[in-house]
Amino acid sequence: MGITYDDFLDLDYDPTETDLVCEFYVEPAADMDWDDAASRVASESSNGTWAELQVEGSIRDLSATACDIDEDSGTVTVAYPDALFEPGNMPQVLSCIAGNILGMKAVDRIRLLDCDWPEQLATSFPGPQFGTSVKSELLDAGERPITATVPKPKVGLSTDQHAQIGYEAWTGGLDLLKDDENLTDQAFNPFEDRLTESLAQRDRAEDETGETKSYLLNVTASGTEMLERVDLAAEHGCEFVMVDVVTTGWAAVQQVRERCERHGLAIHAHRAMHAAFDRVPTHGVSMRVLAQVARLCGVDHIHTGTAGLGKLENEDTPGINEWLHGELYGLNDVLPMASGGLHPGLVPALLDALGTNIGVQAGGGVHGHPDGTHAGAKALRRAVEAAAAGEPIADAAEDTPELATAIDKWGTETPR
């Protein structure tokens, strides 16, 4: 019996609780109507092809079904039977739902907008080891947002300069020092030297402040080297590692998650390269889905944007954060990190938009302070504490000269 594109379309189909249900934005090609385009999305992403196939029996049970078309919103819903997926294998899952379909001639544009993950598939992944509990288990943030900074310039600082900036930021009140996404093991700042010298300054800052501090160490590398860097971080007493999750790939993230559990390390996810998938609003893969994948694979923090307040493109940061905080079959949640063009004057609006169960990270908004990194850190910490407590930032600035200086310099304007 032949199987054709028509077999992948059933607008009366009601997805089962074990189906992975995906919502796509679709613009059909000029020679395709909505039914044609929807059926081809379901076919190509499951077990169909362009030619009519003669098949019998249970193969049909593995076909995806385009079960809803909303021409007004331009969306198509596709339900995938659970048996299509290898449990715990995120690259395989994405090769189905975000693979060849993104290049099909049958559609001019297609974007994976959202996924409804069934329990059996979702719980085949570990999820985060800590999630938002890092605020209290690994740090002293309590109910306020955790605070972080990245040394600037992004790259080029020597190891001594990098570690000194960390000390100034930590003693100024920030919880975390973070490597930038393109700093790994370069000659001007070698990985192991940076690890040991930064942690020495971390220990010094903890002794002086009485607060717990830590370091988001970028272990991004090829697979074996990356795991060795995770081991080294644990050996030297670092509580976190950072991974560029998109550029390394999800299989590598899954390996890091497994290795970090051995050591009790948390994972900070940097999303460098995400805009290659999500910046064009009508094509690619949404940041919402990338964040979902990151949670399943087991990161504890991930950058999700600033709700339009920073230097990067606006996106549905509140909606993404809500999903990361939400219930998912008992898997731990994720702490969203707001970063990219932030400074103290933006903190009240940021927390109004996103709440306090986040991290607030500023680079230039700390190190660009007229009085230097230590003063910039004090300004950011005070702004975060004030906003979390509902205290007007102008009142906070009256007792914190560093914050007053930051507001004089940047006001509440968004940088570009």
Side-chain angles (χ1 to χ4, degrees):
M1 183 176 180
I3 183 170
T4 66
Y5 286 126
D6 291 342
D7 294 296
F8 294 87
L9 179 69
D10 182 357
L11 299 182
D12 293 323
Y13 179 75
D14 186 15
T16 72
E17 64 180 13
T18 63
D19 287 345
L20 172 59
V21 181
C22 297
E23 182 184 26
F24 297 91
Y25 172 82
V26 173
E27 294 180 9
D31 59 344
M32 293 281 160
D33 63 22
W34 278 97
D35 286 1
D36 290 334
S39 62
R40 281 161 172 75
V41 171
S43 170
E44 183 61 37
S45 57
S46 59
N47 64 348
T49 188
W50 62 271
E52 181 175 345
L53 301 178
Q54 301 302 312
V55 298
E56 297 180 359
S58 62
I59 290 177
R60 288 178 176 273
D61 296 335
L62 300 179
S63 298
T65 303
C67 56
D68 186 70
I69 298 172
D70 187 336
E71 295 183 32
D72 292 335
S73 64
T75 57
V76 170
T77 301
V78 179
Y80 297 88
D82 181 72
L84 278 177
F85 305 112
E86 178 184 351
N89 186 339
M90 188 56 72
Q92 187 270 336
V93 173
L94 291 175
S95 291
C96 294
I97 64 174
N100 287 348
I101 55 174
L102 297 183
M104 292 193 311
K105 291 181 178 179
V107 295
D108 288 338
R109 293 289 180 93
I110 180 171
R111 179 179 177 87
L112 177 56
L113 296 173
D114 199 2
C115 298
D116 186 2
W117 300 87
E119 182 174 8
Q120 183 168 319
L121 180 58
T123 56
S124 71
F125 296 93
Q129 187 178 178
F130 298 98
T132 58
S133 72
V134 297
K135 293 170 64 177
S136 56
E137 287 193 37
L138 300 182
L139 299 166
D140 298 329
E143 295 303 313
R144 67 165 170 82
I146 63 172
T147 55
T149 192
V150 184
K152 300 292 181 179
K154 293 179 68 167
V155 291
L157 295 170
S158 69
T159 302
D160 288 345
Q161 290 171 324
H162 188 279
Q164 178 62 30
I165 286 176
Y167 169 76
E168 293 174 7
W170 283 315
T171 56
L174 302 190
D175 302 298
L176 294 167
L177 180 72
K178 188 186 86 67
D179 286 343
D180 227 320
E181 73 278 2
N182 52 349
L183 179 63
T184 53
D185 186 25
Q186 290 98 316
F188 56 82
N189 195 349
F191 176 84
E192 188 167 359
D193 291 348
R194 185 171 73 256
L195 168 61
T196 56
E197 292 193 28
S198 295
L199 290 182
Q201 295 287 14
R202 185 274 310 268
D203 294 344
R204 179 184 169 202
E206 286 187 336
D207 289 342
E208 293 180 13
T209 64
E211 295 180 339
T212 301
K213 310 293 183 180
S214 197
Y215 178 28
L216 307 178
L217 173 72
N218 189 2
V219 298
T220 300
S222 62
T224 301
E225 178 66 28
M226 185 155 53
L227 297 180
E228 290 175 355
R229 291 178 183 179
V230 172
D231 293 341
L232 197 61
E235 178 185 329
H236 286 282
C238 194
E239 298 86 359
F240 292 83
V241 297
M242 174 182 129
V243 180
D244 296 340
V245 293
V246 179
T247 57
T248 59
W250 298 109
V253 176
Q254 291 185 259
Q255 287 182 297
V256 170
R257 170 63 175 84
E258 181 179 356
R259 186 62 62 94
C260 282
E261 186 162 7
R262 295 187 197 175
H263 299 302
L265 302 184
I267 301 172
H268 178 91
H270 196 292
R271 60 179 182 164
M273 197 180 171
H274 76 97
F277 299 92
D278 67 22
R279 180 163 183 168
V280 177
T282 56
H283 194 77
V285 179
S286 71
M287 184 61 214
R288 181 182 181 88
V289 172
L290 294 177
Q292 292 172 1
V293 169
R295 180 179 182 181
L296 293 171
C297 289
V299 310
D300 298 285
H301 305 165
I302 188 169
H303 297 241
T304 61
T306 61
L309 294 168
K311 67 183 180 182
L312 303 177
E313 283 290 305
N314 194 12
E315 53 201 346
D316 180 25
T317 305
I320 294 168
N321 290 5
E322 182 180 10
W323 193 94
L324 290 174
H325 287 144
E327 168 59 25
L328 187 65
Y329 311 115
L331 296 179
N332 282 335
D333 62 359
V334 176
L335 185 71
M337 296 293 293
S339 66
L342 293 178
H343 57 74
L346 295 175
V347 169
L350 180 74
L351 269 57
D352 280 346
L354 302 180
T356 59
N357 199 15
I358 61 172
V360 178
Q361 177 185 294
V366 168
H367 311 298
H369 191 284
D371 298 319
T373 294
H374 183 79
K378 291 184 73 172
L380 181 63
R381 171 70 178 264
R382 185 69 177 94
V384 167
E385 288 181 336
E391 178 186 0
I393 195 169
D395 292 351
E398 290 180 1
D399 62 35
T400 308
E402 296 86 354
L403 178 56
T405 299
I407 294 172
D408 285 343
K409 181 174 179 62
W410 292 304
T412 58
E413 295 299 314
T414 298
R416 291 184 62 85

